[in-house]
Amino acid sequence: MKYSERDLIRYYTTKDRINKRKDRIKMQQSYCRANMKESDAILTPAQRKEIRKYWEKISFAYDYCEDWCEMYTAKTGRYSPYYIPNELHYYFVENGSINFEYLRAFTDKNYLSSLFWDIKQPVTVLKRIRGLYYLNDFTPIAEQQAVALLMENSMAGFVMKPSINSWGGRSIQFIHNTTLTERQAKEMLQQQGNNYIVQKLLKQNAALNAIHSESVNTMRIITILLDGEVNVLSACLRMGVGKSEVDNFSQGGVGCGIDSDGRLKQVGFDRWGNRVDCHPSGFHFEDCVIPNFDRVLATVKKVAIRVPQFGVASWDFALDDEGDPVLIEYNVSQGGIDIHQYNNGPLYGDKTDRIIERTFKNYCFEDTTLPYNYNVFSDHITVKTGSKDMTRITVEPRHHGRPVTRIGEKAFEGAALTEIVLPSSVQYIDYCAFYNCVNLKSVTLPSGLVTIGRSAFNGCRRLTRVTIPTGTETIGTRAFMGINGLTVAVPATVSAIADNAFEDCTGLTLCGQAGSYAEEYAAAHHIPFIKK
């Protein structure tokens, strides 16, 4: 069979998306394996069996990589079958929890003061948005005033950082104990690009300053929104090392888990999962109790519920010299979960079952054949988008070991079909599935059919006879609209037919058993009825 250019484009475009998804997963798994040594292969056969048994329930969508469990077990000395692979969190849980249309705007640091107006944040010196300068209240200022503000604050100190697309502490510039000239200040403003924020340096709480004074040491707290409630999954303290002024893992920082009472755990970890028994400065982690940690958690929940578009988010809070929580920033999408699992164990903890069940309850992924694309769910297949150019299509009864139970909305709308054969497994023909298939002459309806949806065959004007199989229960609104000379055999199992199911059908005849609902319907709508 010769396939049309449109079919080939649809097929190979879909396959390309599938391969890219697989490549992203492989990339994360490669990161895991690069972080392992031969000595890390420590899982017992019984542990591997336990892992496979637990994660088998989502195998239709994701093949759990045991390497992650092995890596975390080896690094931390704590075995659990519930360690979360990066790719599972990033590409499944986050993708199902985050509305990415809001991402760039709602995480722009220049607008955090508007989103979280009542939450303490570092004092803003100025903002630059698309090349324009503003004060914190968005009062526009000229470049010369911006230069003067940098010069005025250079001795006390400030930090300049990109307001968008910043991660890992990159492109952050610190100025303190310096007298800037006008020329130097102007150059700084120009070198940072068109979108950044300038803030005064924060004087951090003595308890955190004692660990590493060169950096602002922040609490990284990850939250997830479940049934309208913010849940804190994990909290860690990130600390700079040596002369570093940032506390990021990627810049050599270390992290340590925080217990519910604010006390740090006995050991921490670096970005590679190496155990750190105390801070390189000699500070013992367990000697630190973060003041007002309960207030920090309460504040995190307060801000997280304000942005429900981001059902999963990582929040960075500092603690100032007055003991108040200070929001530094928050990260959405691939914010890094290794720090949490090294320090606090499996990320989802006692919420693992709940999160996994919610994520995969209605999850599907797309695959393709040349006649049509389809969505793979945990227990069934839905035909999604069919060929517009093929004249005869037979829908397969199964894909990926699952039955095809649904012809989806607008799946074959406007197609050139003259004949369609549906397998007995199909139960639902959805809205406009074959709408305006003007050449369709023959349709084999499946024996398992339950519902013919709204406008399913609307405009299929060449149909002359349709036999609805026994077991079908419902015929929807305008299901067979605009078809002349049509004869429809309706079984006794049909108990609901929309008043306008056959709107604008001249020469319509219904056939069925005497005393059936179909006979009553025909009489009520003045449609000729032939008793079998």
Side-chain angles (χ1 to χ4, degrees):
M1 179 182 293
K2 184 177 180 181
Y3 296 103
S4 70
E5 182 179 354
R6 283 197 297 182
D7 285 334
L8 292 172
I9 290 173
R10 172 179 52 79
Y11 178 83
Y12 285 109
T13 299
T14 304
K15 286 297 186 184
D16 184 58
R17 286 200 303 268
I18 294 169
N19 291 332
K20 285 180 178 177
R21 176 168 61 89
K22 291 179 178 178
D23 288 344
R24 288 195 298 268
I25 289 175
K26 288 179 181 178
M27 180 182 67
Q28 294 294 338
Q29 293 174 352
S30 296
Y31 165 81
C32 171
R33 294 182 181 114
N35 204 13
M36 292 177 63
K37 305 173 185 175
E38 284 189 27
S39 59
D40 289 345
I42 61 172
L43 294 180
T44 67
Q47 288 171 338
R48 292 184 183 279
K49 183 177 180 181
E50 182 184 24
I51 293 167
R52 287 192 292 269
K53 181 178 180 181
Y54 180 78
W55 293 103
E56 194 275 335
K57 58 190 174 185
I58 63 169
S59 60
F60 81 97
Y62 171 70
D63 186 15
Y64 184 91
C65 179
E66 295 172 23
D67 289 348
W68 288 99
C69 184
E70 194 148 44
M71 182 191 78
Y72 283 120
T73 300
K75 301 288 188 184
T76 66
R78 302 183 304 268
Y79 164 73
S80 171
Y82 308 126
Y83 283 112
I84 306 301
N86 279 3
E87 65 269 13
L88 175 58
H89 181 72
Y90 296 156
Y91 306 134
F92 295 91
V93 176
E94 285 194 343
N95 280 0
S97 304
I98 296 170
N99 186 334
F100 288 90
E101 293 181 356
Y102 288 83
L103 189 60
R104 285 174 66 92
F106 274 46
T107 56
D108 187 329
K109 297 177 183 65
N110 276 322
Y111 291 93
L112 297 191
S113 59
S114 299
L115 278 172
F116 311 114
W117 65 91
D118 53 345
I119 305 300
K120 203 168 190 177
Q121 298 173 46
V123 176
T124 295
V125 175
L126 63 89
K127 302 173 178 180
R128 194 174 195 196
I129 305 172
R130 294 201 71 187
L132 303 177
Y133 298 101
Y134 299 87
L135 298 178
N136 191 47
D137 63 359
F138 295 98
T139 300
I141 59 174
E143 183 180 67
Q144 192 57 40
Q145 187 176 350
V147 169
L149 285 170
L150 289 195
M151 295 171 63
E152 179 185 326
N153 286 277
S154 61
M155 281 301 295
F158 61 80
V159 57
M160 301 180 71
K161 50 190 175 183
S163 63
I164 55 177
N165 291 333
S166 65
W167 50 271
R170 70 182 183 89
S171 301
I172 294 180
Q173 187 172 1
F174 291 89
I175 295 293
H176 43 81
N177 299 321
T178 301
T179 301
L180 290 178
T181 65
E182 182 176 348
R183 179 180 177 181
Q184 289 172 326
K186 189 170 184 178
E187 287 178 350
M188 286 187 67
L189 292 174
Q190 296 297 335
Q191 290 171 358
Q192 281 288 340
N194 286 330
N195 296 280
Y196 57 81
I197 188 169
V198 181
Q199 296 172 321
K200 292 185 178 182
L201 294 180
L202 180 72
K203 188 174 182 181
Q204 70 179 331
N205 190 269
L208 302 183
N209 201 61
I211 303 175
H212 186 255
S213 59
E214 282 79 5
S215 62
V216 174
N217 307 305
T218 59
M219 291 162 278
R220 168 63 63 88
I221 302 171
I222 187 167
T223 61
I224 188 166
L225 191 63
L226 297 172
D227 299 323
E229 179 184 358
V230 175
N231 296 264
V232 173
L233 293 178
S234 174
C236 293
L237 182 68
R238 304 189 307 168
M239 298 154 279
V241 171
K243 296 297 182 182
S244 176
E245 294 183 282
V246 295
D247 59 2
N248 303 77
F249 255 22
S250 59
Q251 301 298 319
V254 297
C256 185
I258 308 172
D259 287 330
S260 58
D261 61 357
R263 184 175 294 277
L264 298 190
K265 296 187 173 180
Q266 288 188 344
V267 299
F269 293 86
D270 66 12
R271 69 177 296 190
W272 300 112
N274 297 312
R275 177 185 171 115
V276 180
D277 291 313
C278 67
H279 192 275
S281 66
F283 188 95
H284 291 275
F285 300 124
E286 71 269 26
D287 291 339
C288 176
V289 178
I290 297 174
N292 301 325
F293 187 61
D294 55 339
R295 284 182 54 201
V296 174
L297 294 181
T299 305
V300 167
K301 292 182 177 182
K302 182 177 180 178
V303 294
I305 196 63
R306 204 170 288 180
V307 282
Q309 296 90 346
F310 307 139
V312 176
S314 296
W315 303 86
D316 291 342
F317 271 85
L319 204 66
D320 68 13
D321 56 347
E322 297 176 355
D324 294 331
V326 180
L327 173 62
I328 303 300
E329 64 181 28
Y330 70 116
N331 299 275
V332 178
S333 181
Q334 302 192 26
I337 63 174
D338 47 357
I339 183 175
H340 297 287
Q341 297 202 109
Y342 287 141
N343 287 287
N344 296 327
L347 178 62
Y348 302 153
D350 60 4
K351 298 177 180 62
T352 301
D353 286 346
R354 188 177 172 193
I355 293 171
I356 296 302
E357 180 181 354
R358 186 191 73 167
T359 299
F360 290 95
K361 182 178 181 181
N362 297 310
Y363 179 82
C364 69
F365 65 90
E366 187 176 6
D367 207 341
T368 185
T369 64
L370 279 164
Y372 53 85
N373 286 15
Y374 55 89
N375 285 334
V376 182
F377 292 84
S378 61
D379 59 354
H380 73 279
I381 303 292
T382 294
V383 174
K384 180 184 178 184
T385 306
S387 168
K388 301 299 183 186
D389 302 311
M390 295 177 68
T391 57
R392 187 184 189 280
I393 289 178
T394 298
V395 174
E396 297 296 324
R398 300 180 74 84
H399 293 287
H400 293 269
R402 288 161 176 78
V404 176
T405 62
R406 203 168 207 117
I407 307 300
E409 293 186 2
K410 302 183 179 181
F412 294 95
E413 178 183 10
L417 285 172
T418 60
E419 181 180 359
I420 181 79
V421 178
L422 303 179
S424 61
S425 57
V426 170
Q427 300 175 10
Y428 307 98
I429 300 176
D430 287 345
Y431 166 68
C432 287
F434 298 97
Y435 174 76
N436 208 31
C437 289
V438 296
N439 297 316
L440 186 61
K441 297 178 181 179
S442 173
V443 56
T444 302
L445 294 179
S447 59
L449 188 63
V450 175
T451 298
I452 300 175
R454 180 162 59 98
S455 290
F457 295 95
N458 185 337
C460 297
R461 58 176 179 261
R462 292 197 179 183
L463 282 177
T464 58
R465 184 175 182 85
V466 173
T467 300
I468 298 175
T470 300
T472 305
E473 299 172 0
T474 304
I475 302 174
T477 300
R478 298 188 175 92
F480 294 94
M481 179 179 176
I483 305 173
N484 299 328
L486 178 65
T487 299
V488 182
V490 184
T493 56
V494 170
S495 58
I497 304 175
D499 284 338
N500 57 354
F502 304 99
E503 185 175 321
D504 293 337
C505 289
T506 58
L508 174 68
T509 301
L510 299 184
C511 304
Q513 294 181 10
S516 66
Y517 174 79
E519 184 178 20
E520 294 178 14
Y521 179 90
H525 293 79
H526 309 292
I527 300 171
F529 185 81
I530 300 174
K531 299 176 184 179
K532 289 184 178 180

